[in-house]
Amino acid sequence: MKNQVIRALATISFLVAMTIVTTGSAQAQSAIRVNIPFNFTVGNKTLPAGRYSVNRFAEYASDTVVLISSADGHTKLVCLTYAAHSLDPKGKVTLIFHRYGDQNFLYQVWSADGSTGRVFAKSRSEREINRRAREAARDVVRKEPAVETVSVTVDQ
């Protein structure tokens, strides 16, 4: 039952996102263009290192829908996000990744003012890495798995 509900929600989210992308009427804010020097995962899809643009759709659902596309146009990924706010502005457009060993997961995208951002939900594989690390650490010491935060800033 739980799996059916999750699948239904994922399908609905995907259909809403695809409708927004394919209608062509979405007014995207200026795209963030960034060169990401490592492979990374967003949602349940791993993307190769390279140049990407990240578009936020302000007109729909308060920026909750984000489009990530490769510079060559071969890769397009639509993600649902939630808002983040900071009292310590970053000053530049910044993408923040969680790194576990050699695996990188897109975690947040921060705007140029640096005080507002978008947070991506943890993917299934990132949650699995956390779960395995917690289980391995139970015998030693109860602690959270080691995660490194990697920031990529954008000069626009």
Side-chain angles (χ1 to χ4, degrees):
M1 176 70 174
K2 182 179 176 183
N3 287 340
Q4 290 174 333
V5 171
I6 291 171
R7 278 192 214 123
L9 288 173
T11 301
I12 290 168
S13 298
F14 176 75
L15 291 174
V16 168
M18 289 310 296
T19 300
I20 291 169
V21 171
T22 58
T23 60
S25 63
Q27 298 297 316
Q29 293 180 355
S30 61
I32 296 169
R33 295 189 199 328
V34 61
N35 184 29
I36 301 173
F38 44 77
N39 295 346
F40 64 101
T41 301
V42 182
N44 292 318
K45 183 165 179 142
T46 300
L47 303 173
R51 298 195 59 76
Y52 289 89
S53 70
V54 179
N55 296 310
R56 299 185 312 162
F57 293 91
E59 190 171 301
Y60 294 96
S62 302
D63 290 343
T64 58
V65 179
V66 174
L67 172 65
I68 300 170
S69 54
S70 61
D72 62 11
H74 287 102
T75 303
K76 291 189 180 189
L77 184 61
V78 177
C79 305
L80 297 176
T81 64
Y82 56 93
H85 302 283
S86 174
L87 297 175
D88 183 26
K90 302 201 180 337
K92 290 186 176 185
V93 175
T94 305
L95 280 72
I96 298 178
F97 296 84
H98 280 169
R99 178 177 286 167
Y100 304 87
D102 63 349
Q103 292 183 299
N104 300 285
F105 298 88
L106 183 57
Y107 173 55
Q108 297 175 334
V109 175
W110 290 87
S111 64
D113 72 6
S115 62
T116 59
R118 303 304 307 169
V119 178
F120 295 83
K122 284 187 178 180
S123 67
R124 180 178 296 153
S125 52
E126 185 174 5
R127 288 190 314 265
E128 179 64 20
I129 289 170
N130 274 307
R131 185 189 64 75
R132 280 187 275 149
R134 277 193 309 272
E135 287 176 357
R138 271 191 200 132
D139 296 335
V140 182
V141 176
R142 291 190 180 267
K143 64 179 182 177
E144 285 297 310
V147 59
E148 180 182 354
T149 301
V150 179
S151 296
V152 175
T153 57
V154 179
D155 294 322
Q156 292 199 6

